[in-house]
Amino acid sequence: MNRHTTTASELKERLEAERMARALLVYRDGEGHQRILALPQEPQKITVGRGPAAGLRLAWDREVSRAHAELEQVGGAWTVSDDGLSTNGTYRNDERVRGRIRLKDGDQLRFGKTLVAFREPVVTEGDTTFLPEETPSLPITATQHTVLIALCRPLRDNPYATPATNSQISSEIHLGVDAIKVHLRSLYRRMGIETLPQNEKRARLAELAIHRGLISDKEL
């Protein structure tokens, strides 16, 4: 399985899709391009396979069977099942799927050589307050820009990774942890997210930085 560097524009595309508050499948096609499939909101089965009738068709992957697995919404939750359909098996988070398994946000599925991320974003009350188009554009300093790059760097190789910790940022840009905290607090205020719970601020800051184009692909 080939590893691909996730660009800032791809991250932005994924975050825009997550704003729809629908379950998504994120994967790469045979040429390495990011693809996003929004799953239907009404209950139905989706076949995964190489065959032309597959709802998630992975025609380029020769290790995927024509009818490889099924995705189905059961009781409001998405599930994956194989039930012996495939030759090479279906895996969730590196464990082989046997029978039907309920999916949760962030699960990574593997059909043949193809990795497919399952996303089920939850939009909580008040999220629209922090949409980037509703936040005034405020200049940031060169040091704050450097902090943002280091914060978002883990997302380059894995769009579901956790943003860098204060210690990791400090090691990368050679600035004390206390100074990092000061810059992050300033960025939280500038982005209008200082009232968010502490455990949500870092991820939201990274999201907004990517949404607003404050970080380029080359910088990540």
Side-chain angles (χ1 to χ4, degrees):
M1 286 170 286
N2 295 327
R3 289 183 62 84
H4 298 272
T5 297
T6 301
T7 65
S9 59
E10 287 175 336
L11 284 169
K12 183 176 181 180
E13 178 187 18
R14 178 178 61 79
L15 291 167
E16 291 284 359
E18 290 176 1
R19 287 292 186 184
M20 296 188 300
R22 292 174 59 180
L24 307 167
L25 300 176
V26 185
Y27 60 100
R28 291 187 183 276
D29 62 21
E31 297 180 351
H33 301 304
Q34 176 176 271
R35 301 296 180 193
I36 299 175
L37 175 64
L39 296 176
Q41 293 179 309
E42 64 277 4
Q44 63 177 273
K45 286 186 178 181
I46 296 176
T47 301
V48 181
R50 286 192 295 112
L56 175 58
R57 192 181 185 198
L58 310 175
W60 61 87
D61 191 335
R62 304 304 297 177
E63 293 190 15
V64 172
S65 302
R66 288 179 61 83
H68 192 101
E70 287 184 334
L71 296 166
E72 184 178 8
Q73 193 179 91
V74 179
W78 280 96
T79 64
V80 62
S81 61
D82 191 317
D83 291 331
L85 284 174
S86 69
T87 300
N88 295 313
T90 297
Y91 294 80
R92 183 196 65 165
N93 302 332
D94 294 327
E95 293 186 8
R96 186 157 186 167
V97 172
R98 302 187 187 279
R100 185 178 304 280
I101 295 179
R102 179 173 179 169
L103 297 176
K104 62 181 184 299
D105 182 43
D107 278 347
Q108 190 169 71
L109 304 172
R110 177 161 61 86
F111 310 103
K113 292 183 177 180
T114 304
L115 295 176
V116 178
F118 175 78
R119 293 289 288 118
E120 194 168 27
V122 177
V123 176
T124 57
E125 184 178 356
D127 268 358
T128 52
T129 302
F130 308 114
L131 284 172
E133 58 267 26
E134 295 179 2
T135 306
S137 293
L138 293 173
I140 63 174
T141 67
T143 301
Q144 288 169 348
H145 182 242
T146 303
V147 168
L148 281 179
I149 293 170
L151 176 77
C152 297
R153 199 177 301 285
L155 281 70
R156 178 185 60 187
D157 296 323
N158 179 2
Y160 307 109
T162 302
T165 64
N166 292 342
S167 295
Q168 289 170 331
I169 297 172
S170 175
S171 296
E172 177 172 335
I173 68 174
H174 307 294
L175 194 64
V177 170
D178 288 341
I180 299 297
K181 292 179 180 178
V182 170
H183 287 299
L184 286 174
R185 283 196 293 269
S186 178
L187 286 165
Y188 296 151
R189 289 194 299 272
R190 288 172 180 270
M191 297 294 184
I193 59 173
E194 70 273 20
T195 59
L196 279 181
Q198 192 62 36
N199 62 348
E200 296 180 15
K201 289 180 181 179
R202 189 178 300 269
R204 183 56 64 88
L205 178 59
E207 176 183 344
L208 289 177
I210 292 165
H211 261 298
R212 297 175 65 178
L214 298 177
I215 301 172
S216 70
D217 294 351
K218 291 181 179 180
E219 288 170 326
L220 281 181

